């Protein structure tokens, strides 16, 4: 019984927090007089009351936090919180179905950036701010998930960063307590976001657009205030600013913290994961630009490089902005972009997918197996830099990647069974599972996810949630042995 009270208490506190977030949009709506004030008033009041009804009665009841409680709390937080977040949307747009509203809020809170909305330019300012606040707060939530929630699940936050970034971030470089670490990383996240806002304003965006797009860029959320997305601005300087900050957001925030504390670029140079990420992504920009130029998609290489760089970086980092309809490009380019979305983002970043460190470990393990095949009696361990990678981490990575690919296969077949064509189904699942946003064909950058049936929308919602919590946190709930411990 104490487990149930613990979950109710924690979730009540989370709900109260979201009511405060909703209140900022209520204030914005009142100031802008954009017609959505009542929607946010209702949302704030309902969310606050429900949160208080959960939190206050369970405040003094002894709490019991176990690994089972932790996993269940993660699943509930990521799946139930979006229900409360739909209240302003459904209040302002009564014709909006619950499944579509839930899709939009899940997309925001998982930083996927896929949308069912058309006419985004004409939405009230407060509604657009709400969508982007969901992106930004979720980016902070991902950091909290890494350094505060995971200790409950049996892996300390510090250990996570060190285990996923061997040889990159030393424990001594970070504050000694989890709460201090979370606060430090939040400050870095907020500080870089502020820098992004100012840079976008200087590049020519209005303040509101700059705030919203900075929120989306730093969380790698991909929402925009315009139907044409970043293509609305048709500005090279804006694209360059967003490209830089998306790359920053896809690098481990612990690396940013150490670099800022030491006022040195050496942490970035020493970060093998960041190096591999930047070399792969920036190298891909050069190659895909050549492909587009050679295919005649653009008349000169520099134009091809501009559009290839922005759109490839935004998909590879799992952000999901767009300036071009890359669905019309030679098929190699968008498929390569979707492949990069699976592997590129660093651990400890706001990106999704497998993460670059797991890719590095898997490649090194494959090379090690080939070596053992040639030299069966040799003894060799895996190293990343000077750090030994123990077998427990290797086994965890192997298990994760198997679950990753088998989940994608199952979800793609579910969409195929619903009647969707293969390219649309495959790209939709890859984009949703990696929290990358737009796919191809039916869900391409020139369209959105509004044409999906309720069943197809539900499958994509599950893909977003499963990808955001890194599979294990959901799958483990369905293992009977887990509950018998």
């Amino acid at each position: 019984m104490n487990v149930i009270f613990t979950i109710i208490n924690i979730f009540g506190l989370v709900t109260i927090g979201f009511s405060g977030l909703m209140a900022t949009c209520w204030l914005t709506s009142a100031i802008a007089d954009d017609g959505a004030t009542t929607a946010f008033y209702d949302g704030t009041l309902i969310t606050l009351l429900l949160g208080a009804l959960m939190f206050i009665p369970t405040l003094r009841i002894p709490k019991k936090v176990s690994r089972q409680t932790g996993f269940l709390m993660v699943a509930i937080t990521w799946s139930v919180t979006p229900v409360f977040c739909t209240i302003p949307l459904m209040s302002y747009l009564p014709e909006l179905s619950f499944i579509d509203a839930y899709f939009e809020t899940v997309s925001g809170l998982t930083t996927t950036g896929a949308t069912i909305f058309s006419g985004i330019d004409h939405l009230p300012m407060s509604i657009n701010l709400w969508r982007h606040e969901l992106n930004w707060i979720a980016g902070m939530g991902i950091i909290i998930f890494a350094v505060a929630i995971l200790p409950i699940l049996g892996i300390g936050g510090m250990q996570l960063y060190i285990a996923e970034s061997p040889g990159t971030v030393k424990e001594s470089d970070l504050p000694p307590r989890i709460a201090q670490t979370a606060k430090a990383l939040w400050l870095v996240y907020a500080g870089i976001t502020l820098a992004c806002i100012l840079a976008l304003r200087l590049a020519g965006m209005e303040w509101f657009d700059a705030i919203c797009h900075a929120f989306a860029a730093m969380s790698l959320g991909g929402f925009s205030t315009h139907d044409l997305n970043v293509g609305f601005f048709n500005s090279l300087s804006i694209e360059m600013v967003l490209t830089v900050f998306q790359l920053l957001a896809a690098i481990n925030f612990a690396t940013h913290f150490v670099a800022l504390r030491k006022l040195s670029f050496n942490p970035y140079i020493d970060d093998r994961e960041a190096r591999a990420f930047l070399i792969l992504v920036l190298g891909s920009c050069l190659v895909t630009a050549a492909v587009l130029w050679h295919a005649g998609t653009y008349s000169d290489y520099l134009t091809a490089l501009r559009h290839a760089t922005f759109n490839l970086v935004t998909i590879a980092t799992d952000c999901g902005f767009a300036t071009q309809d890359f669905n019309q490009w030679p098929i190699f380019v968008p498929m390569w972009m979707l492949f990069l979305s699976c592997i590129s983002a660093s651990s400890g970043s706001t990106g999704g997918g497998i993460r670059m460190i797991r890719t590095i470990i898997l490649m090194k393990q494959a090379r090690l197996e080939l070596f053992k095949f040639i030299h069966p009696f040799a003894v060799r361990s895996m190293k990343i830099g000077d750090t030994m990678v123990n077998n427990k981490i290797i086994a965890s990575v192997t298990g994760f990647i198997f679950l990753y690919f088998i989940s994608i296969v199952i979800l793609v077949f579910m969409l195929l069974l619903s009647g969707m064509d293969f390219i649309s189904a495959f790209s939709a699942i890859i984009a949703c599972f990696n929290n990358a946003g737009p796919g191809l064909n039916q869900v391409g950058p020139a369209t959105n996810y509004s044409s999906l049936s309720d069943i197809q929308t539900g499958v994509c919602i599950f893909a977003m949630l499963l990808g955001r919590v890194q599979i294990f946190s959901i799958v483990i709930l369905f293992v009977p042995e887990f509950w018998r411990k």
Side-chain angles (χ1 to χ4, degrees), residues 298-479:
Y298 298 103
S299 58
D300 60 90
Y301 182 76
L302 289 179
T303 302
L305 182 62
R306 169 189 172 181
H307 296 306
T309 297
F310 182 82
N311 291 277
L312 184 143
V313 166
T314 195
I315 298 299
T317 58
D318 300 315
C319 184
F321 287 138
T323 59
Q324 301 287 298
D325 182 7
F326 50 75
N327 191 52
Q328 303 301 318
W329 289 357
I331 191 63
F332 167 81
V333 178
M335 291 301 286
W336 181 252
M337 289 160 57
L338 288 172
F339 168 70
L340 291 178
S341 75
C342 299
I343 65 171
S344 296
S346 297
S347 59
S349 73
T350 53
I354 291 172
R355 309 296 177 90
M356 180 57 73
I357 192 62
R358 291 193 181 105
T359 306
I360 293 171
I361 289 173
L362 192 66
M363 290 176 63
K364 283 183 172 289
Q365 179 63 12
R367 184 177 177 183
L368 186 59
E369 290 301 321
L370 290 173
F371 175 82
K372 289 179 179 179
F373 182 78
I374 298 169
H375 306 283
F377 301 106
V379 177
R380 176 181 287 187
S381 300
M382 184 191 298
K383 282 187 175 183
I384 296 182
D386 298 325
T387 304
M388 195 81 68
V389 181
N390 65 49
N391 290 332
K392 182 180 177 181
I393 292 175
I394 296 171
S396 175
V397 167
T398 305
F400 173 86
I401 291 176
F402 171 78
L403 285 176
Y404 175 89
F405 283 112
I406 200 66
S407 298
I408 287 176
V409 169
I410 292 170
L411 292 169
V412 168
F413 273 106
M414 289 176 69
L415 287 186
L416 292 175
L417 187 62
S418 73
M420 189 179 288
D421 69 276
F422 176 74
I423 294 295
S424 297
F426 177 74
S427 63
I429 293 303
I430 291 291
C432 289
F433 206 88
N434 295 328
N435 310 122
L440 301 173
N441 284 8
Q442 188 178 344
V443 292
T447 57
N448 58 32
Y449 286 72
S450 61
S451 63
L452 271 58
S453 68
D454 286 352
I455 291 175
Q456 292 166 345
T457 301
V459 172
C460 289
I461 288 170
F462 185 69
M464 287 188 281
L465 292 170
L466 197 60
R468 183 71 282 168
V469 298
Q470 295 282 282
I471 308 173
F472 280 131
S473 299
I474 296 292
V475 173
I476 195 68
L477 298 176
F478 299 96
V479 179

Side-chain angles (χ1 to χ4, degrees), residues 82-323:
V83 174
F84 293 94
C85 296
T86 63
I87 296 172
L89 300 182
M90 297 187 69
S91 178
Y92 180 75
L93 300 166
E95 72 279 5
L96 190 66
S97 69
F98 171 75
I99 188 72
D100 284 343
Y102 186 64
F103 178 93
E104 192 75 15
T105 54
V106 168
S107 180
L109 284 171
T110 57
T111 69
T112 301
T115 185
I116 50 87
F117 280 141
S118 298
I120 295 173
D121 303 70
H122 306 297
L123 287 175
M125 179 183 290
S126 55
I127 294 288
N128 264 324
L129 180 62
W130 178 234
R131 296 168 67 240
H132 288 84
E133 280 188 347
L134 293 180
N135 267 178
W136 192 71
I137 201 68
M140 299 180 80
I142 292 161
I143 296 172
I144 287 298
F145 176 68
V147 300
I149 301 299
L150 283 175
I152 301 173
L153 311 185
I155 303 176
M158 303 291 209
Q159 293 166 317
L160 177 78
Y161 275 116
I162 296 162
E164 289 194 338
S165 309
T168 299
V169 178
K170 307 299 183 186
E171 189 167 2
S172 59
D173 290 331
L174 294 171
R177 297 181 181 276
I178 287 172
Q180 291 176 323
T181 301
K183 182 179 179 180
L185 296 177
W186 271 27
L187 288 173
V188 171
Y189 180 75
I192 300 177
T193 302
L194 179 60
C196 186
I197 293 171
L198 296 174
L200 288 172
R201 182 69 183 93
L202 290 173
M205 273 192 184
E206 296 296 327
W207 279 113
F208 181 72
D209 282 339
I211 291 169
C212 288
H213 285 84
F215 281 5
M218 287 311 302
S219 64
L220 296 177
F223 275 157
S224 178
T225 53
H226 302 283
D227 283 319
L228 293 177
N229 210 276
V230 179
F232 171 86
F233 302 100
N234 192 25
S235 168
L236 176 59
S237 58
I238 288 173
E239 292 166 24
M240 290 173 66
V241 169
L242 287 173
T243 297
V244 169
F245 281 96
Q246 287 172 103
L247 291 171
L248 289 174
I251 293 174
N252 194 324
F253 273 83
T255 302
H256 293 317
F257 171 79
V258 176
L260 288 170
R261 197 182 73 168
K262 295 182 176 180
L263 296 177
S264 170
F265 282 101
N266 288 334
Y268 296 110
I269 297 171
D270 296 336
D271 188 337
R272 288 173 174 80
E273 189 181 18
R275 288 210 310 262
F277 158 67
L278 291 172
I279 289 170
L280 176 63
V281 171
L282 297 180
S284 295
C285 292
L286 298 175
V287 173
T288 53
V291 172
L292 294 175
W293 180 40
H294 184 265
T297 307
Y298 298 103
S299 58
D300 60 90
Y301 182 76
L302 289 179
T303 302
L305 182 62
R306 169 189 172 181
H307 296 306
T309 297
F310 182 82
N311 291 277
L312 184 143
V313 166
T314 195
I315 298 299
T317 58
D318 300 315
C319 184
F321 287 138
T323 59

